[in-house]
Amino acid sequence: MAWTVFPTAIGFVGLAWGEAGLLGAQLPEADEAGTRARMARRFPALVEVGPADLAAAAAQAIGGITALLAGEPRDLLEIALDLRGVPDFNRRVYALARRIPPGRTRSYGELALDLGDKGLARAVGQALGHNPFAPVVPCHRVLGADGRPGGFSAHGAALTKLRMLAIEGARPQGTASLFPF
């Protein structure tokens, strides 16, 4: 059980893992030190390790995340999540979000309908707002009904969400990207 921070096309991402899989991921803070500090706060019982000390599954996850954030169409479904402590509703939302292919988007309401009740759209948004596994659980691919980005808890908020979608080649409502890649 450990955590590390690694460079990607959008900044330094954090990753924590244990025997049962990914414990959490952290999208970039303002800089590497910020991401490192956030990981240390989130996972105080774990030690930070460098690249030479990564478990094989963690190294594979880092490779997949790095590739996704560089524009490769990766779904990251091969990364096991340690869902102990994650509420059942959130697990169901995360499973639906993981099935959204790179470059595609869905709305909070569409995920709510998949759960059986369009009235759950706000609860879907709240579950995604507590997503401890971004970008492995690709909450950035879930938008408001009008195609707007909605909330996003990562540093940079909606602009980070839009940047990640642009990297994937997604064009919500057919609009061109603000970020040339």
Side-chain angles (χ1 to χ4, degrees), residues 22-174:
L22 184 67
L23 297 168
Q26 178 64 49
L27 288 172
E29 292 292 324
D31 55 25
E32 179 181 1
T35 304
R36 184 168 270 107
R38 180 80 176 256
M39 290 297 290
R41 283 192 308 275
R42 280 184 67 191
F43 302 100
L46 304 183
V47 296
E48 180 181 8
V49 300
D53 299 314
L54 294 175
Q60 179 185 14
I62 289 169
I65 292 167
T66 301
L68 173 72
L69 295 176
E72 290 185 28
R74 305 287 291 271
D75 61 22
L76 306 178
L77 292 173
E78 72 279 4
I79 300 174
L81 304 179
D82 185 340
L83 293 165
R84 292 177 289 185
V86 175
D88 182 60
F89 180 80
N90 293 25
R91 287 179 189 213
R92 293 171 37 218
V93 171
Y94 300 163
L96 289 172
R98 287 189 90 186
R99 292 199 305 245
I100 304 169
R104 300 288 184 98
T105 61
R106 298 198 63 207
S107 72
Y108 298 103
E110 288 171 327
L111 294 186
L113 276 176
D114 287 350
L115 293 168
D117 182 356
K118 187 168 182 142
L120 294 172
R122 186 176 304 273
V124 167
Q126 290 172 345
L128 292 171
H130 294 290
N131 174 14
F133 305 109
V136 178
V137 171
C139 51
H140 63 281
R141 296 182 190 146
V142 184
L143 305 173
D146 57 3
R148 292 186 187 182
F152 199 57
S153 58
H155 176 76
L159 286 177
T160 298
K161 186 174 195 171
L162 292 171
R163 182 174 183 205
M164 292 171 70
L165 289 172
I167 288 170
E168 291 184 8
R171 300 185 79 174
Q173 294 188 327

